[in-house]
Amino acid sequence: MLNVVIGLRAARQGPITGKVVGPLNLSLGVRALLVIVCALFSVIVAIVAGYMSHKPGARKRDAVLYGGGAFVGSLTLCLAVLGSLGVLSSPGAQ
């Protein structure tokens, strides 16, 4: 039987419902790459948020702090979504 993972859907699915049975069986390298992608996405969100929050004549450190908060919030949300999908759990864990 050929197990194929397409996107974030698991290869092991129920026969009729299509519900995911268990966590995804991804290698450590793929999971590390997904975390890196989340971090890079969060950096982009932080840059955009810091740029949009900066006002002419205001201190730049306020925009940097705002961007840092956006980075932390975005990274937390991304990792929470990956964790709830079962991407970050180890293959032996249930």
Side-chain angles (χ1 to χ4, degrees), residues 41-55 60 62-74:
F41 174 73
S42 298
V43 166
I44 292 171
V45 168
I47 290 171
V48 170
Y51 181 75
M52 290 177 65
S53 71
H54 180 66
K55 297 179 177 87
K60 290 186 177 33
D62 294 334
V64 171
L65 284 174
Y66 193 84
F71 172 78
V72 170
S74 176

Side-chain angles (χ1 to χ4, degrees), residues 7-94:
L8 291 177
R9 293 184 57 97
R12 300 183 311 152
Q13 295 178 348
I16 297 173
T17 61
K19 292 182 180 177
V20 176
V21 176
L24 295 176
N25 294 325
L26 300 175
S27 67
L28 179 64
V30 173
R31 285 186 274 160
L33 285 175
L34 285 172
V35 171
I36 290 171
V37 167
C38 283
L40 290 176
F41 174 73
S42 298
V43 166
I44 292 171
V45 168
I47 290 171
V48 170
Y51 181 75
M52 290 177 65
S53 71
H54 180 66
K55 297 179 177 87
R59 298 181 302 192
K60 290 186 177 33
R61 63 181 157 182
D62 294 334
V64 171
L65 284 174
Y66 193 84
F71 172 78
V72 170
S74 176
L75 186 62
T76 302
L77 179 65
C78 285
L79 292 179
V81 167
L82 287 180
S84 67
L85 289 175
V87 174
L88 298 179
S89 61
S90 62
Q94 290 279 340

